[in-house]
Amino acid sequence: MSAITPLPCQRHLFEIPRDVSYLDAAAWSPLPRAVREAGEAGLLVKSRPWTHRREAIPIQAERARTAAARLVGAGMDDVAIVGSVSHAMATAAANLPVAPGGRVLRVADEFPSLRYAFDRLAAARGLSVEEVPRPGDGDWTAALLAAIGRPGAPPLAIATLTPSHWTDGGLIDLDRLAPAVHAVGAALVIDATQAAGAVPVDVGRWLPDFLAFPTYKWTLGPYGLAFLYAAPHRQDGTPIEENLGNRPPAAGARRYDRGELNDPVLLPMAATGLELVLSFDASAMTARLRHLTDRLEEGIAGLALAAAPRALRAPGVLGLRAPGGLPAGLLDRLREAGIHASERSGALRLSPHVWADEDDIDRCIAALRREP
């Protein structure tokens, strides 16, 4: 089978100066021009409301909901519009019936929005929380599979998982893990923040009870908006906030919609970003991200920086660690060289997206090679 041709660089869609290498999509993305323009048009709706029909705004909500559903392989009635992933996870935790004595399973050093709501649930329902330690060989999937099936462990009640570790892109293979979770009768909750818009996400393949993602990272949209997929058997629950829009006769995942849903600014921005991502061939986009992070890894060969093996890391994120920790002031020096990245839990997290090209990668490599 022939290799997939990577998506061409899409820098022309953005307003990124040539001397800026923005390698921080895992933190938040720059807005494409079209998304910015959609937001500016939305501001005029609120600035001059007498010139715009409010009845047109719910159409934008359904446009955004439809695009989000397409991105994760869901039906539009299975997707709620919420304010954040933490909002989504609080909703999920409030609508999972569990018996005392079971386990909540997650990886160590998990992002707070996937921890706090389930810590509260565990304390209220008499569950234990098991955090799988970072594996020495980098194989999160094998470590999680071992934890799911560990003899003598309390029964697994809920697995709260992500497709990759947020700190460094360590792969968490849900194609292998989801069936194992289902086989023991546990609920599966997925935070797809670092996956949706970067790699294929398919609720039909993973069959989660709930799955959520925001718009401000890989889906090229605004801050302050997220989407929650609820499986059909999880759609008759109780929202964590009651509002006119999510009360009966609202049905399906709309029961979990946030209040003040009809935002004339965020909704068209989110829809525009999602539709742009959907216009790219998903496999070609993933191939581009893999090409860029592989080039980064190859370029730093011989330096005292280590990454997980390619088979154990997500395509769009390269996490680099150094013996004894990263050099002090590294991020500041990279920023001075026009390179923007993040440090997360001791890893230099480099995350290019469709705007990045080989010059960006080579500038970063050169800067890292200049480090003492």
Side-chain angles (χ1 to χ4, degrees), residues 11 16-30 296 316 318 330-344 348-353 355-356 360-361 363-365 367-368:
R11 198 183 194 93
I16 304 175
R18 187 60 270 177
D19 60 350
V20 169
S21 295
Y22 192 82
L23 306 179
D24 213 7
W28 60 356
S29 71
L296 266 168
L318 184 70
L330 174 60
L331 285 183
D332 290 337
R333 291 190 294 277
L334 289 176
R335 193 175 297 114
E336 291 168 0
I339 300 149
H340 299 265
S342 290
E343 184 274 329
R344 295 291 185 267
L348 175 62
R349 190 182 67 184
L350 299 161
S351 50
H353 202 3
W355 58 76
D360 293 316
I361 301 305
R363 181 183 292 121
C364 182
I365 292 168
L368 291 172

Side-chain angles (χ1 to χ4, degrees), residues 236-261:
D236 60 352
T238 303
I240 62 171
E241 57 174 58
E242 298 279 356
N243 58 75
L244 182 63
N246 69 10
R247 296 182 68 81
R254 288 177 178 80
R255 283 286 291 127
Y256 303 127
D257 277 352
R258 73 177 194 178
E260 299 187 9
L261 178 67

Side-chain angles (χ1 to χ4, degrees), residues 120-136:
R120 181 185 294 274
L121 176 66
R125 302 287 180 84
L127 306 175
S128 61
V129 176
E130 178 179 350
E131 292 190 346
V132 175
R134 182 177 291 276

Side-chain angles (χ1 to χ4, degrees), residues 192-238:
T193 295
Q194 297 295 355
V199 297
V201 172
D202 186 354
V203 297
R205 193 168 75 242
W206 297 334
L207 301 176
D209 292 74
F210 293 97
L211 177 147
F213 67 94
T215 59
Y216 70 99
K217 295 181 186 282
W218 301 93
T219 60
L220 310 178
Y223 202 70
L225 198 67
F227 297 94
L228 171 65
Y229 164 81
H233 67 290
R234 298 299 187 194
Q235 293 175 5
D236 60 352
T238 303

